[in-house]
């Protein structure tokens, strides 16, 4: 048995609740250098995939799942490698380029619990290739609820299981083919101990009385529908706060949309076509011609004349738009205004929010978890901005539930908000 297997066979929690380790005990992490059964071959054919599906269908217990994307290199967030591990099946590395439809694998694992780290990051790209879990355990979220100060996979594996994971390849271009062996080793190690980590965190959550809370959170993630397309995504251009005039906003919109079309056609990251900085600089300068455009940051000597002309034509289209087609300043607000304006817009609401925030902060500290995991700040703002007509505990609980709060959150937070609303209403 290797050192890795021996350590994995004893998944005792080394650092319960994220508390500091005993200063008198030296607990240097053990480097995890190789997968237990070696680096599995990359599955890129239908025949090999069928073998993996059969093996994982025969396996037992939960299945560890991870996905690697090519963020910053390719357009979109598609998966370029899927890693899995299960008792009785070992580990598998599946190439979604060679095997773009993994619905058969998803169906084989449909009734099993899937273990992911930061599940909301990987679920969209997994869904695109036909892998949709019905039950899951999120080790990152479990770490947050349990009070660990650092919840990255490497930090969790080190503090909980005593391993040091090599994380040097997390930001590489996973669309590269063939994938280098060191990358494949890294990818296989990412699922090597997820089952052990899950088991240890389940014990710790149970010890803290938070296991049912975690299960409700996991169920909410698994049952959540896909996020709708973002409205006016160009408004999220970095540096957009500098752009004040509607004509300048139109330039940002036109450049952003043109960049997105080019990036999608080339299958490259939009930032490799034109940077956000360049878009904002062009909007602020409103260049009259190609010569004026060429001196702006992001449009320098590396950009050819033809490209400059195309970007200038895009800017000219925005400049020629009638006023009726210019974007309005600021996205439509669907919720409460920024809290800094509450004192002027709704004097009664500001003290409610202040009292509620203080109460939530104190409870989060008592429960040893981040405030945003206890209840989202947006939910607190909405309840305080427009509280129930009769601010009873039942009414506040119903209001929290209507905004998507889970039952455990409602039970913990509704007494605090009821008290905050009642006290401030009486002042």
């Amino acid at each position: 048995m290797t050192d890795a297997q021996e350590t994995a066979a004893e998944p005792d929690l080394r650092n319960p609740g994220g508390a500091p380790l005993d200063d008198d005990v030296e607990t240097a992490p053990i480097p995890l250098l190789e997968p237990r059964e070696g680096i599995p071959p990359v599955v890129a054919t239908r025949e090999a995939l069928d073998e993996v599906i059969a093996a994982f269908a025969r396996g037992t217990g939960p299945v560890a799942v991870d996905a690697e994307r090519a963020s910053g290199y390719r357009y979109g967030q598609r998966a370029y490698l899927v890693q899995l591990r299960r008792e009785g099946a070992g580990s598998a590395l599946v190439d979604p380029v060679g095997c773009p439809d993994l619905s058969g694998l998803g169906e084989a694992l449909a009734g099993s619990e899937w273990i992911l780290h930061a599940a909301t990051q990987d679920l969209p790209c997994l869904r695109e290739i036909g892998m949709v879990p019905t039950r899951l355990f999120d080790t990152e979220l479990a770490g947050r609820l349990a009070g660990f100060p650092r919840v990255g996979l490497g930090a969790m594996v080190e503090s909980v299981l005593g391993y040091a994971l090599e994380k040097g390849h997390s930001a590489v271009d996973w669309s590269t083919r063939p994938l280098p062996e060191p990358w494949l080793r890294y990818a296989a190690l990412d699922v090597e101990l997820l089952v052990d980590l899950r088991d240890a965190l389940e014990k710790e959550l149970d010890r803290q009385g938070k296991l049912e809370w975690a299960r409700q959170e996991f169920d909410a993630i698994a049952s959540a529908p896909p996020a709708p397309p973002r409205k006016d995504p160009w408004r999220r251009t970095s540096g957009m706060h500098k752009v004040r005039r509607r004509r300048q906003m139109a330039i940002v919109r036109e450049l952003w949309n043109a960049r997105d079309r080019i990036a999608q056609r080339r299958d490259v990251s939009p930032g490799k076509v034109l940077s956000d900085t360049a878009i904002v600089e062009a909007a602020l300068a409103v260049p009259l011609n190609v010569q004026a455009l060429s001196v702006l940051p992001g449009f320098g000597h590396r950009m050819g004349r033809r490209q400059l002309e195309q970007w200038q034509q895009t800017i000219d289209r925005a400049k020629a738009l009638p006023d009726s087609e210019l974007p309005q300043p600021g996205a439509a607000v669907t919720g409460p205004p920024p809290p800094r304006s509450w004192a002027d817009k709704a004097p009664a609401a500001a003290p409610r929010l202040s009292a509620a925030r203080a109460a939530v902060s104190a409870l989060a500290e008592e429960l040893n978890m981040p405030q945003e995991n206890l209840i989202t700040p947006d939910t607190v703002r909405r309840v305080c901005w427009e509280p129930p007509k009769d601010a009873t505990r039942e009414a506040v609980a119903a209001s929290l539930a209507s905004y998507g709060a889970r039952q455990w959150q409602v039970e913990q937070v509704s007494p605090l908000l009821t008290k905050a609303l009642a006290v401030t209403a009486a002042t």
Side-chain angles (χ1 to χ4, degrees):
M1 180 179 283
T2 66
D3 289 343
Q5 288 172 303
E6 290 175 358
T7 305
E10 300 177 358
D12 295 331
L13 200 68
R14 289 161 52 97
N15 191 5
L21 294 168
D22 190 334
D23 291 338
D24 296 330
V25 180
E26 290 293 334
T27 54
I30 302 170
L32 189 59
L33 303 177
E34 291 287 339
R36 300 176 207 184
E37 300 91 16
I39 303 173
V42 177
V43 175
T45 66
R46 182 72 249 181
E47 294 75 18
L49 179 60
D50 287 341
E51 293 179 7
V52 167
I53 292 174
F56 275 79
R58 291 191 303 267
T60 59
V63 55
V65 182
D66 191 21
E68 304 295 347
R69 300 177 297 277
S71 303
Y73 297 94
R74 296 289 183 175
Y75 184 86
Q77 294 295 316
R78 65 168 293 185
Y80 282 95
L81 188 70
V82 175
Q83 308 102 279
L84 306 100
R85 184 172 181 83
R86 192 179 197 186
E87 183 69 28
S91 295
L93 302 177
V94 182
D95 180 5
V97 177
C99 301
D101 181 6
L102 299 187
S103 57
L105 181 57
E107 291 168 4
L109 302 174
S112 307
E113 179 188 84
W114 295 23
I115 308 169
L116 295 100
H117 192 82
T120 54
Q121 295 182 20
D122 286 343
L123 287 178
C125 70
L126 291 171
R127 184 180 288 112
E128 287 181 358
I129 53 179
M131 296 185 65
V132 184
T134 55
R135 294 191 296 128
L136 64 82
F137 190 107
D138 187 332
T139 50
E140 185 203 45
L141 181 52
R144 291 181 182 276
L145 295 176
F148 284 84
R150 297 187 302 139
V151 293
L153 179 59
M156 292 294 294
V157 168
E158 182 174 328
S159 61
V160 175
L161 299 176
Y163 278 129
L165 287 179
E166 194 273 313
K167 300 298 290 182
H169 304 300
S170 59
V172 298
D173 181 3
W174 286 96
S175 68
T176 300
R177 292 298 182 271
L179 287 166
E181 182 176 297
W183 300 11
L184 296 175
R185 180 182 296 107
Y186 158 87
L189 289 175
D190 260 6
V191 293
E192 182 80 3
L193 292 181
L194 269 184
V195 176
D196 303 281
L197 181 60
R198 172 242 182 265
D199 292 345
L201 288 172
E202 182 180 59
K203 291 179 182 178
E204 178 61 14
L205 288 167
D206 190 36
R207 186 187 71 81
Q208 294 186 23
K210 299 175 181 177
L211 183 55
E212 176 55 30
W213 300 359
R215 286 172 176 161
Q216 291 181 29
E217 292 297 304
F218 302 156
D219 288 345
I221 295 173
S223 60
R230 184 173 286 151
K231 185 178 180 181
D232 292 344
W234 58 269
R235 291 184 183 272
R236 297 177 66 87
T237 302
S238 180
M240 188 68 191
H241 62 281
K242 303 176 185 177
V243 182
R244 305 288 186 180
R245 299 175 182 175
R246 294 176 64 198
R247 185 70 58 183
Q248 294 173 325
M249 293 171 62
I251 292 175
V252 172
R253 182 179 64 186
E254 293 298 317
L255 287 173
W256 192 99
N257 288 332
R259 179 185 70 173
D260 195 65
R261 289 191 297 269
I262 295 170
Q264 186 172 14
R265 185 175 70 249
R266 296 179 182 173
D267 190 19
V268 297
S269 169
K272 290 186 175 298
V273 176
L274 190 68
S275 69
D276 279 11
T277 298
I279 290 177
V280 170
E281 290 293 336
L284 295 175
V286 194
L288 295 176
N289 49 44
V290 170
Q291 183 178 357
L293 179 64
S294 66
V295 300
L296 297 178
F299 297 93
H301 64 279
R302 293 184 179 181
M303 188 173 290
R305 176 78 182 186
R306 183 177 177 184
Q307 289 178 294
L308 286 169
E309 290 175 348
Q310 290 176 336
W311 294 125
Q312 185 62 46
Q313 290 170 6
T314 302
I315 294 169
D316 290 342
R317 284 199 303 271
K319 290 161 63 176
L321 288 173
D323 289 350
S324 60
E325 295 182 19
L326 298 179
Q328 295 298 322
V333 178
T334 58
R340 61 179 178 273
S341 67
W342 284 29
D344 294 329
K345 294 185 176 181
R352 288 198 295 261
L353 181 61
S354 179
R357 281 174 161 175
V360 169
S361 177
L363 180 58
E365 184 174 354
E366 179 184 337
L367 295 174
N368 191 27
M369 70 171 64
Q371 294 182 42
E372 63 269 20
N373 291 114
L374 174 59
I375 192 73
T376 66
D378 180 68
T379 298
V380 174
R381 287 194 295 269
R382 289 175 183 270
V383 172
C384 290
W385 179 255
E386 193 172 357
K389 184 175 182 181
D390 296 317
T392 63
R393 180 170 176 176
E394 292 74 16
V396 171
S399 182
L400 286 169
S402 72
Y403 292 126
R406 266 68 72 190
Q407 184 58 37
W408 76 270
Q409 293 176 313
V410 171
E411 292 171 356
Q412 292 294 319
V413 174
S414 58
L416 306 180
L417 294 191
T418 302
K419 184 176 180 181
L421 296 177
V423 169
T424 54
T427 59

